[in-house]
Amino acid sequence: MKRTHIYIGGEWVRPASTDVVEVENPATEQIIGVVPAAGVTDIDRAVQTAQDALPHWAALSPAQRAAYLDRLWQHLDRRREEIARTVTLELGTPLKTAMAIQAGLPLTVLRSYADLAGDYKFSEWVGHSLVVKEPVGVVGAITPWNYPLHQMIAKVAPALLAGCTVVLKPAELTPFVAYLLTDAVHEAELPAGVFNLVCGHGPVAGAALAAHPGVDMVSFTGSTEVGKQISVFAAATVKKVALELGGKSANIILDDADLTTAVKVGVGNAMLNAGQTCTAWTRMLVPHSRYEEALELAAAAARKYPVGDPTLPDTRLGPVSSARQRASVLAHIDTGLSQGARLVAGADEAPSRGHYVPATVLADVKPDDVVAQEEIFGPVLAVIPYSDDEEAVTIANNSRYGLSGAVWSGNENRALAVAGRLQTGSVDINGAAFNPLAPFGGYKQSGIGRELGRHGLDEFLQIKAIQR
Ligand code: NAI
Ligand code: MG
């Protein structure tokens, strides 16, 4: 696979920079292709183009913009399989999961925005004031590699529906799926300059985009560390910032829960996408009274996740994204063990080629241990015992993060009461289904702002009050 161009003003153009990014298949450690690594000049050009395209796009009606999203959906939908295969190749997500989540989820989200236009109130009367919502302007979207297309769509779709124009800087590890999105944009004949793709290194192209005075809003998903830098870059021109950052979410299993289901689903959640999920329930909180039973169930559940070739239909646990990521995950496991954790699952032999990490369950983790505090972003679950509901809530909230979480109980009201006390942006009770229309985002250092549904659209609009 080789892409040599970036996409600006409705055309494939050659970047000014001759630098490239090599893309590796993390399952084979082979280089599968190259894409351009654009520089500051290329970002300038893309932002200028997005500024030029803004007035016309913003002047269309929401229904007209939604019709373009609908066309984009059709062109992406045709590529479902190619999207899944591409993400499996560049990221290592097992193919079955890739079809459902890496391809399916972004299509669901794009559909939801194409459908939202009719219901959303772009203006309303408040007393004698007409309150109108107008596009923020040019959006710089900087996205990560773990759910690459989903994270692009969760920004691009609401931004475009709002009337904003976009410059997208995707992650270095997973650029090819961004090219598939751009092919679909081109075929859907979105007006020139409304969507622009500039691949490049984070500290060069990403930083230039976040700092650019022509960008009105930066929407970023990635590490908390880079998110903080983005805020600093954006401050110089008082840009709006939306950040979706890390997590260390707690899965609270109450003493009256269906333990077998809670542990099985909890382990599955922690292993999804090799644990590279910002919402992963990476801390499992279990009452002392059911602790040893839960550990046995967790070990048995982890054994159902042997590492394997992500292109095979039965594989549930592929490699992590890169050699660097694997080294970081293994170092975290070592730190956990050195702080007194007990290995309940893991340390199995992994294939010599490929960035594999076995499904790992650490027991006896203390709430302040490094493995209970830091986002590991690998297939590693920390199990923490607790005495009563009060202590469970305290442990769950003992985190600088607050992105997601779970509560399991035989009594829904009890679960709701616990969920209400958690300092986090979302909570799933008894394994409730994902809702693509529900607001998604973080408390504390997990981020600023919300994505998805109506609340995700709000982010890309600014509000004007006209009195008469
Ligand atoms: P990262 O935060 O460095 O990368 C995310 C995006 O930011 C990429 O597009 C990258 O090119 C860009 N970027 C990097 N440095 C930048 C800078 N100085 N200015 C502007 N843009 C910049 O994530 P990385 O290094 O790939 O992963 C490290 C850790 O981050 C992971 O182990 C995980 O803990 C966390 N992470 C969290 C994600 C989430 O969904 N919340 C997604 C990816 C990573
Ligand atoms: Mg980084």
Side-chain angles (χ1 to χ4, degrees):
M1 288 196 277
K2 184 171 182 173
R3 296 282 194 146
T4 51
H5 288 50
I6 53 179
Y7 189 75
I8 297 178
E11 303 177 48
W12 291 105
V13 301
R14 221 170 243 293
S17 157
T18 55
D19 199 7
V20 297
V21 176
E22 289 188 327
V23 182
E24 183 202 49
N25 176 343
T28 62
E29 301 184 37
Q30 271 159 359
I31 300 299
I32 54 168
V34 292
V35 299
V40 176
T41 314
D42 300 306
I43 290 288
D44 267 342
R45 182 176 173 194
V47 171
Q48 182 63 55
T49 304
Q51 285 182 299
D52 294 345
L54 184 64
H56 171 72
W57 182 248
L60 296 182
S61 70
Q64 286 172 312
R65 291 192 296 263
Y68 280 108
L69 291 186
D70 184 61
R71 282 209 343 228
L72 177 58
W73 185 89
Q74 291 171 34
H75 287 280
L76 264 186
D77 183 49
R78 290 198 295 109
R79 294 185 157 81
R80 250 175 221 267
E81 174 127 19
E82 193 183 0
I83 290 165
R85 290 194 179 281
T86 299
V87 177
T88 294
L89 208 61
E90 60 188 0
L91 180 62
T93 303
L95 195 54
K96 206 191 273 175
T97 313
M99 272 303 283
I101 304 182
Q102 302 288 13
L105 177 59
L107 278 156
T108 301
V109 172
L110 181 54
R111 177 83 265 144
S112 76
Y113 278 113
D115 293 344
L116 189 67
D119 305 330
Y120 188 83
K121 276 198 185 137
F122 283 88
S123 67
E124 61 180 329
W125 286 97
V126 176
H128 65 288
S129 299
L130 179 64
V131 177
V132 293
K133 295 187 178 172
E134 299 182 337
V136 168
V138 173
V139 172
I142 302 174
T143 55
W145 41 264
N146 54 332
Y147 293 94
L149 184 60
H150 168 66
Q151 286 140 339
M152 295 175 217
I153 292 293
K155 300 181 188 315
V156 171
L160 292 181
L161 180 59
C164 297
T165 57
V166 178
V167 177
L168 170 66
K169 205 303 283 173
E172 297 90 318
L173 293 180
T174 54
F176 286 114
V177 67
Y179 276 93
L180 295 182
L181 169 61
T182 310
D183 289 340
V185 164
H186 192 69
E187 285 172 16
E189 296 181 334
L190 263 64
V194 158
F195 171 91
N196 307 277
L197 173 75
V198 183
C199 291
H201 292 293
V204 181
L209 186 59
H212 202 291
V215 171
D216 301 291
M217 170 174 171
V218 197
S219 179
F220 170 81
T221 300
S223 61
T224 296
E225 183 196 349
V226 173
K228 290 175 185 175
Q229 286 174 10
I230 300 275
S231 281
V232 173
F233 294 144
T237 54
V238 197
K239 286 182 194 19
K240 184 162 182 183
V241 176
L243 303 173
E244 296 292 346
L245 309 176
K248 191 75 204 180
S249 297
N251 176 13
I252 303 181
I253 302 178
L254 298 179
D255 58 11
D256 63 349
D258 169 355
L259 193 68
T260 308
T261 305
V263 172
K264 190 179 117 196
V265 175
V267 169
N269 179 290
M271 301 307 157
L272 179 69
N273 206 27
Q276 301 162 121
T277 305
C278 50
T279 53
W281 307 334
T282 48
R283 295 181 295 153
M284 183 182 280
L285 276 49
V286 180
H288 280 296
S289 58
R290 309 192 71 181
Y291 187 57
E292 289 303 328
E293 192 189 344
L295 292 181
E296 269 171 41
L297 289 166
R303 279 196 293 275
K304 298 263 168 62
Y305 290 81
V307 296
D309 177 346
T311 61
L312 298 178
D314 292 332
T315 298
R316 299 168 88 189
L317 180 58
V320 296
S321 63
S322 65
R324 197 190 76 166
Q325 195 65 24
R326 178 172 183 270
S328 159
V329 174
L330 294 178
H332 276 101
I333 295 171
D334 284 346
T335 303
L337 296 174
S338 75
Q339 290 193 309
R342 168 161 54 113
L343 194 69
V344 170
D348 326 39
E349 192 91 14
S352 57
R353 192 164 277 276
H355 309 304
Y356 290 98
V357 178
T360 301
V361 178
L362 300 173
D364 306 349
V365 174
K366 297 174 292 301
D368 289 321
D369 285 356
V370 171
V371 292
Q373 290 295 326
E374 283 188 16
E375 179 174 62
I376 299 174
F377 236 56
V380 183
L381 174 66
V383 186
I384 307 175
Y386 69 83
S387 307
D388 54 18
D389 292 14
E390 190 65 33
E391 194 190 13
V393 169
T394 303
I395 294 171
N397 289 339
N398 173 14
S399 175
R400 69 187 164 110
Y401 295 116
L403 191 53
S404 79
V407 182
W408 298 80
S409 170
N411 175 340
E412 197 172 271
N413 284 331
R414 187 175 167 206
L416 280 167
V418 170
R421 297 178 62 196
L422 299 181
Q423 296 158 357
T424 189
S426 80
V427 185
D428 297 343
I429 291 175
N430 291 336
F434 176 74
N435 178 359
L437 294 178
F440 171 83
Y443 282 25
K444 299 192 267 186
Q445 292 191 28
S446 286
I448 300 173
R450 291 295 177 270
E451 290 191 328
L452 306 184
R454 184 166 60 74
H455 301 89
L457 181 56
D458 286 340
E459 295 289 330
F460 295 96
L461 292 159
Q462 54 190 341
I463 299 169
K464 179 185 284 172
I466 304 168
Q467 288 66 239
R468 60 165 209 187

